Structure formats: C-alpha cells, structure tokens
Amino acid sequence: MSDDGNGLFDQDQGMTPKGKSHPGLMIAGLTALICILLLCLYYERRPFTGSTDYLTKILVAVPAVLALIALGAAWLVRAVRVTRSEGRFPLTLLLAPSVMAAAVLLVLVNPKAGFEDAKPEMQTVAEQLIDGTGQPQYAVDINGLQFGSIERESDGCVYFTESDQAISRTGWVYTRQCVPRARTFITLEPVAPNWSRFEYAT
C-alpha cells in the first residue's frame, strides 16, 4: 500500500514512511473514539444530557457496540496475520485491548450515580413540595440523576420523571401519605419505603 500525501501513515498497513510497521494503531484510535462516545452516553455527558430520549440513546448505542464488535474481529485478523508474517506479536496491537480495558475499569470503579445516592436529597425536595415550601422543578440534576420534571400530582404523590422518551417515561414516585393513581402505569415497583420505580406510556 502507498503512503498518504503527507507521508505520515499508511492507514491500511500501519506503515511509516521508513517502512516500519505499527499495526493496530488505526483500530486502537477508532476503538478509543467509540469508547469515549459510549462513556459520554453512559454518564450522560455532552452531547448526551439527561434530556436525551431513550430512542436516541438506542440509536447511538447499538451501532457503536456493533462497530466495536467489528473492530474486535478486524483486530483479531490483523493480529493473526502480523504474528504469522513477522513471527512476533507487536506491542502496538495491545493498544486497542488496553483502551477497552480502561473503559470497562472506569465504569467499574466509577459507576453512574444511582437512586440510593440521590434518595436523601430527593426526599427533601419531595417533602418541600408536599408541605408547600417547594416549587415544581424542571430539567434538574440531583446528585447525578437528571430529571425532566419533579412535580406533585393530583393524587398527592411527588413524581421524579426522567427525561421524556419516545415510547414511555420512567422515574421514581414518593408515596408517603398517598397512593399513586395520577398516571396509567406500565410498571410500578416499590424500591424503598415510600418510594416506587415507575414506567408509564406517553
């Protein structure tokens, strides 16, 4: 294969102008880009904020995961060919697996904030809405959880609704002194005293 116009890097073979092979660099670079994209989606960082709907997340995540699988297959083929032709395993082929391992380790060490982390502050907000000292809130972040709305409905319950979604909406409802009836639920599952996880059709 020929070098590019600048003589910097042959993208197919991983060759420098002097002919020294560095296989796996392109695969590692693409792997890093996709991992960054998926991490932004997981942690709801720009451009994927809490207002990103469920359908959009699926349309981004599925192709990204399929691309990672394809890159994994390409890496395996490349590793076998280079090892057979050169009689050694180049260290540059370790870059892509290292990127994947680093992304997985980051998620394991620093998991996305969950309900238990945000529950004390959520309860404070709910109690303020119940006693009339608080106001409905929209597009708000509570200890890492992002909500499209926090409102007290006609049944007296306080609904913490996550971002609007194409098919359904999900969130948590604070049920002290009330029975949740304001919405037609697909699922309503108790997750803690006075708290239930809900999903309802839009």
Side-chain angles (χ1 to χ4, degrees):
M1 295 290 178
S2 63
D3 296 338
D4 61 22
N6 296 322
L8 296 177
F9 189 76
D10 187 308
Q11 294 184 349
D12 292 326
Q13 297 295 330
M15 303 290 290
T16 63
K18 295 181 180 180
K20 185 177 181 181
S21 176
H22 295 290
L25 290 181
M26 173 174 285
I27 292 176
L30 292 174
T31 300
L33 289 175
I34 295 174
C35 285
I36 291 172
L37 178 72
L38 289 173
L39 287 172
C40 289
L41 188 64
Y42 176 72
Y43 289 111
E44 296 186 339
R45 298 293 185 261
R46 292 185 181 278
F48 308 107
T49 62
S51 61
T52 304
D53 62 78
Y54 182 76
L55 182 59
T56 299
K57 292 178 180 179
I58 290 294
L59 291 175
V60 171
V62 171
V65 171
L66 292 176
L68 280 180
I69 294 173
L71 286 172
W75 177 90
L76 182 60
V77 171
R78 185 75 171 132
V80 171
R81 287 181 176 176
V82 171
T83 302
R84 285 179 176 176
S85 63
E86 298 185 8
R88 63 186 181 88
F89 189 86
L91 292 179
T92 50
L93 282 172
L94 295 176
L95 290 176
S98 297
V99 169
M100 284 290 298
V104 172
L105 183 62
L106 176 62
V107 171
L108 293 176
V109 173
N110 185 33
K112 182 180 177 182
F115 170 70
E116 290 297 328
D117 301 306
K119 185 172 68 173
E121 188 173 347
M122 290 171 64
Q123 183 166 334
T124 298
V125 172
E127 290 291 348
Q128 290 173 347
L129 285 171
I130 290 173
D131 64 25
T133 61
Q135 297 294 326
Q137 300 182 40
Y138 304 94
V140 61
D141 182 293
I142 297 182
N143 200 17
L145 289 184
Q146 297 182 335
F147 300 102
S149 65
I150 303 174
E151 300 173 299
R152 188 184 185 193
E153 299 283 1
S154 58
D155 55 13
C157 298
V158 179
Y159 290 81
F160 293 76
T161 305
E162 295 176 301
S163 58
D164 292 351
Q165 300 169 353
I167 301 174
S168 65
R169 296 183 184 179
T170 58
W172 290 267
V173 56
Y174 186 61
T175 58
R176 185 180 70 82
Q177 298 182 340
C178 71
V179 176
R181 296 172 178 167
R183 303 176 183 181
T184 303
F185 297 102
I186 298 174
T187 60
L188 182 65
E189 179 183 1
V191 293
N194 299 325
W195 288 98
S196 292
R197 174 75 171 165
F198 69 80
E199 179 182 6
Y200 72 96
T202 55

